[in-house]
């Protein structure tokens, strides 16, 4: 197997990880009904997953930093496959929560290890493309994994989804065992050194933007199925179609964000995308039950949400080019914590009968992120102007 096909294998594993994380949002109403719990309680299955992923992954990666990367991936895949199979058979809400936490921890280790392996297996000068391929595998779960999950849950039982994830996990485990070479672990970076990056103002500002961006996304996406069913009056097939459209737009947006960042710059891409997203979310409660308008706003929101990742990551790397892996891991951790917070806030809103207006909560988060981005850009330009002036004075 060529290295390119090995990278595609890593992308396939990333797709499986993404499906295990995102699929809950597509079947939230089904899980709530089958477990005799409220929709907001079912939404906490997403909250705890994101929180465990965001908080636990840096510590687990630090603890296993000296372990050979292939071995670490295999061990994490074993845990992931077993625990997702158990999700299908455990009974009780508390057991589901515990299983989701363990699943998130193993998924976090897998995702970071996949990116490390991709950068090593890539041809010289192709590391960025290899990493993007793996990331695209994860985002493709929105296009394929979530709609398929909805179809399975509608026609069979939602438990079958996680049995399937466990079985496919075992297949990927076998392929990994026989195709991925052993990779020596990188020199570990202590956690205290990683957290020093929070003290750099521009890095901390964009990590906060990451938190708000994905938090605003999660507020709405976590409860997207009950929103479609209860507010827009869709049936199960309509929800599947809407999720499929959203997934396609999300996948296209990832590429669009990279292209726009290269052509028009990170600031314009990020602020323009977030402004578009805030407007789309503000309009959701006003469009009634027009399928055409629902799909238009859904596409605009997806384009906004998933085009923002590339400019944020570009900015973070430009702030610390010698420590790109560290700032990107912090970006991933803050993103997951944002998704956890968003799901939790959305759950509170739904519990208090405010399901119709959760898009406004998301719009508020995006508005704050827009303000932070603009302030950072203004301060950065002022600093550059002052530095240029000082340099001219020195030359004179």
């Amino acid at each position: 197997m060529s290295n390119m096909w090995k990278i595609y294998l890593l992308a396939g594993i990333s797709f499986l990880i993404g499906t295990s994380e995102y699929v809950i949002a597509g079947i939230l109403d089904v899980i709530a009904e089958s477990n005799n719990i409220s929709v907001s309680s079912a939404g906490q299955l997403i909250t705890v997953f994101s929180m465990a992923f965001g908080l636990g992954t840096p510590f687990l990666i630090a603890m296993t930093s000296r372990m050979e990367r292939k071995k670490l991936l295999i061990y994490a895949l074993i845990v992931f496959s077993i625990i997702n199979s158990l999700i299908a058979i455990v009974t009780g809400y508390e057991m589901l929560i515990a299983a989701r936490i363990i699943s998130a921890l193993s998924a976090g280790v897998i995702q970071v290890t996949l990116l490390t392996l991709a950068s090593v297996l890539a041809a010289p000068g192709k590391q960025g493309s290899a990493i993007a391929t793996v990331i695209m595998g994860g985002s493709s779960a929105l296009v394929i994994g979530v709609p398929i999950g909805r179809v399975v849950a509608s026609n069979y039982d939602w438990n079958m989804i996680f049995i399937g994830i466990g079985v496919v996990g075992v297949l990927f485990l076998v392929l990994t065992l026989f195709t991925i070479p052993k990779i020596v672990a990188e020199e570990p970076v202590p956690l205290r050194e990683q957290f020093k990056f929070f003290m750099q103002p521009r890095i901390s500002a964009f990590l906060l933007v990451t938190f708000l961006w994905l938090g605003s996304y999660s507020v709405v996406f976590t409860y997207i199925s009950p929103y479609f069913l209860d507010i827009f009056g869709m049936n199960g097939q309509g929800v599947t179609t809407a999720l499929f459209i959203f997934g396609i737009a999300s996948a296209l947006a990832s590429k669009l964000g990279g292209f726009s960042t290269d052509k028009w710059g990170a600031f314009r891409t990020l602020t323009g995308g977030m402004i578009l997203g805030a407007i789309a979310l503000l309009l959701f409660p006003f469009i009634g039950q027009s399928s055409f308008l629902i799909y238009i706003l859904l596409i605009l929101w997806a384009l906004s949400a998933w085009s923002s990742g590339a400019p944020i990551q570009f900015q973070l790397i430009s702030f610390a080019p010698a420590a790109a892996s560290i700032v990107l891991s912090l970006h991933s951790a803050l993103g997951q914590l944002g998704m956890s917070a968003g799901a939790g806030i959305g759950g509170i809103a739904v519990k208090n009968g405010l399901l119709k207006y959760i898009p406004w909560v998301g719009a508020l988060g995006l508005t704050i992120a827009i303000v932070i981005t603009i302030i950072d850009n203004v301060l950065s330009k002022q600093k550059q102007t002052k530095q240029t002036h000082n340099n001219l004075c020195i030359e004179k």
Side-chain angles (χ1 to χ4, degrees):
M1 180 182 286
S2 69
N3 279 3
M4 195 63 238
W5 282 107
K6 291 172 185 176
I7 292 170
Y8 286 139
L9 169 60
L10 300 180
I13 298 173
S14 182
F15 168 81
L16 188 67
I17 298 302
T19 299
S20 73
E21 177 175 5
Y22 299 133
V23 73
I24 293 288
I27 58 172
L28 208 60
D29 56 306
V30 180
I31 292 178
E33 183 179 353
S34 66
N35 287 275
N36 295 315
I37 56 177
S38 66
V39 169
S40 60
S41 294
Q44 300 315 303
L45 294 171
I46 297 174
T47 303
V48 296
F49 187 101
S50 297
M51 185 174 292
F53 194 118
L55 291 176
T57 299
F59 290 96
L60 288 175
I61 291 298
M63 290 170 58
T64 58
S65 59
R66 297 186 183 277
M67 184 180 295
E68 189 269 315
R69 299 294 93 178
K70 176 181 177 179
K71 183 183 293 186
L72 178 60
L73 178 59
I74 288 172
Y75 287 162
L77 276 171
I78 290 173
V79 174
F80 177 83
S81 301
I82 291 174
I83 200 65
N84 275 281
S85 298
L86 289 176
I87 287 175
I89 59 175
V90 296
T91 56
Y93 180 65
E94 293 77 11
M95 291 296 292
L96 271 177
I97 289 287
R100 285 289 284 175
I101 290 173
I102 298 172
S103 176
L105 293 173
S106 61
V109 172
I110 291 170
Q111 194 63 37
V112 173
T113 307
L114 292 176
L115 295 174
T116 302
L117 289 169
S119 64
V120 174
L121 292 172
K126 298 292 185 180
Q127 285 86 354
S129 296
I131 290 172
T133 299
V134 173
I135 293 174
M136 181 65 75
S139 62
S140 295
L142 287 168
V143 184
I144 304 172
V146 175
I148 287 178
R150 182 75 199 183
V151 171
V152 172
S154 299
N155 293 281
Y156 302 99
D157 194 298
W158 71 268
N159 306 71
M160 296 296 295
I161 299 168
F162 289 93
I163 292 175
I165 289 174
V167 170
V168 176
V170 172
L171 294 176
F172 278 134
L173 170 63
V174 173
L175 288 173
T176 299
L177 192 62
F178 289 102
T179 60
I180 301 299
K182 292 183 178 180
I183 304 294
V184 178
E186 298 177 345
E187 189 66 28
V189 178
L191 279 175
R192 62 179 178 275
E193 294 295 325
Q194 297 185 33
F195 290 135
K196 284 183 180 179
F197 287 93
F198 283 110
M199 305 305 294
Q200 298 186 27
R202 298 202 72 189
I203 290 178
S204 61
F206 271 83
L207 290 176
L208 180 56
V209 169
T210 298
F211 179 88
L212 291 166
W213 156 54
L214 282 174
S216 71
Y217 169 79
S218 181
V219 165
V220 185
F221 185 72
T222 299
Y223 298 96
I224 197 71
S225 291
Y227 196 86
F228 287 149
L229 291 166
D230 298 341
I231 305 303
F232 291 148
M234 289 184 177
N235 55 25
Q237 185 177 354
V239 173
T240 302
T241 302
L243 289 172
F244 185 68
I245 290 172
F246 181 83
I248 292 176
S250 299
L252 293 174
S254 300
K255 289 292 185 181
L256 177 63
F259 172 80
S260 178
T261 299
D262 291 339
K263 188 171 180 63
W264 293 295
F267 174 72
R268 290 181 180 179
T269 300
L270 181 56
T271 52
M274 290 194 296
I275 289 171
L276 176 65
I279 292 172
L281 290 174
L282 285 171
L283 292 176
F284 262 107
F286 296 111
I287 60 175
Q289 296 185 343
S290 167
S291 297
F292 176 75
L293 291 177
I294 290 170
Y295 294 149
I296 291 297
L297 287 185
L298 200 59
I299 290 170
L300 292 177
W301 177 46
L303 291 175
S304 161
W306 287 98
S307 65
S308 299
I312 292 176
Q313 292 174 37
F314 177 86
Q315 289 286 59
L316 286 170
I317 292 173
S318 69
F319 298 152
S325 61
I326 296 176
V327 293
L328 289 181
S329 68
L330 292 175
H331 164 77
S332 177
L334 263 293
Q336 289 293 335
L337 291 177
M339 292 187 73
S340 174
I345 292 170
I348 294 172
V350 171
K351 194 173 182 179
N352 287 277
L354 299 174
L355 176 62
K356 182 177 181 178
Y357 301 104
I358 56 172
W360 288 0
V361 181
L364 175 62
L366 280 179
T367 301
I368 298 171
I370 291 165
V371 172
I372 293 172
T373 306
I374 292 173
I375 291 174
D376 172 82
N377 186 64
V378 171
L379 293 176
S380 175
K381 286 185 175 180
Q382 289 178 348
K383 185 177 180 180
Q384 290 175 2
T385 302
K386 184 177 180 180
Q387 184 65 46
T388 302
H389 176 73
N390 292 339
N391 290 339
L392 289 173
C393 291
I394 292 172
E395 290 176 2
K396 291 180 179 178

